[in-house]
Amino acid sequence: QVQVVESGGGSVQFGGSLRLSCAASGYPYSRYMAWFRQAPGKEREGVAAIDSTGVTRHADSVKGRFLISKDNAKNTLYLQMNSLKPDDTAMYYCAAASVDWIPFSAWFIPHKYNYWGQGTQVTVSS
């Protein structure tokens, strides 16, 4: 059983920065990890994802502002968020997938991930 625990959310002003962390523990090994977010009344959407080789994918809405990374030694996932906007306000979730392969085009499909954290709130004020 894999457990994922997010931290690092909070409230910032427009243009500010935050770094989210996600500690993953347990077995089996998660080949894919991702950050999703969900705002009130909206569907959960993929923000950024990374595979075990370090290949990353970022949503168009966050490219150039957010950066996903992973410390394999600590099995910890990060999301550095810069130039935050009010539209970034949402609950952010860390997700892990232990499956052997997810096509790149499907990295932002929530049901491809079988382990989820409880979420951490990010609020950006204008």
Side-chain angles (χ1 to χ4, degrees):
Q1 185 77 12
V2 175
Q3 293 183 327
V4 292
V5 179
E6 306 98 335
S7 61
S11 297
V12 295
Q13 292 189 327
F14 179 87
S17 297
L18 283 173
R19 189 176 82 154
L20 305 184
S21 299
C22 171
S25 61
Y27 180 84
Y29 175 71
S30 298
R31 295 184 182 276
Y32 301 88
M33 295 190 74
W35 291 99
F36 288 79
R37 67 186 180 186
Q38 189 167 18
K42 294 187 177 181
E43 293 186 354
R44 190 167 297 192
E45 63 173 356
V47 175
I50 188 169
D51 74 1
S52 58
T53 69
V55 175
T56 64
R57 180 182 177 186
H58 294 81
D60 289 344
S61 59
V62 306
K63 278 181 182 177
R65 300 188 300 121
F66 292 12
L67 183 66
I68 190 171
S69 62
K70 187 181 178 192
D71 185 329
N72 288 322
K74 297 181 179 179
N75 210 22
T76 299
L77 185 72
Y78 301 100
L79 185 68
Q80 178 65 44
M81 305 186 294
N82 301 322
S83 302
L84 283 160
K85 308 174 182 178
D87 284 350
D88 297 317
T89 296
M91 186 71 78
Y92 283 70
Y93 297 91
C94 177
S98 57
V99 296
D100 288 339
W101 184 68
I102 302 175
F104 187 79
S105 60
W107 282 15
F108 287 163
I109 297 177
H111 74 249
K112 296 294 185 181
Y113 296 82
N114 42 354
Y115 302 103
W116 290 83
Q118 293 299 308
T120 185
Q121 179 68 36
V122 172
T123 302
V124 185
S125 58
S126 58

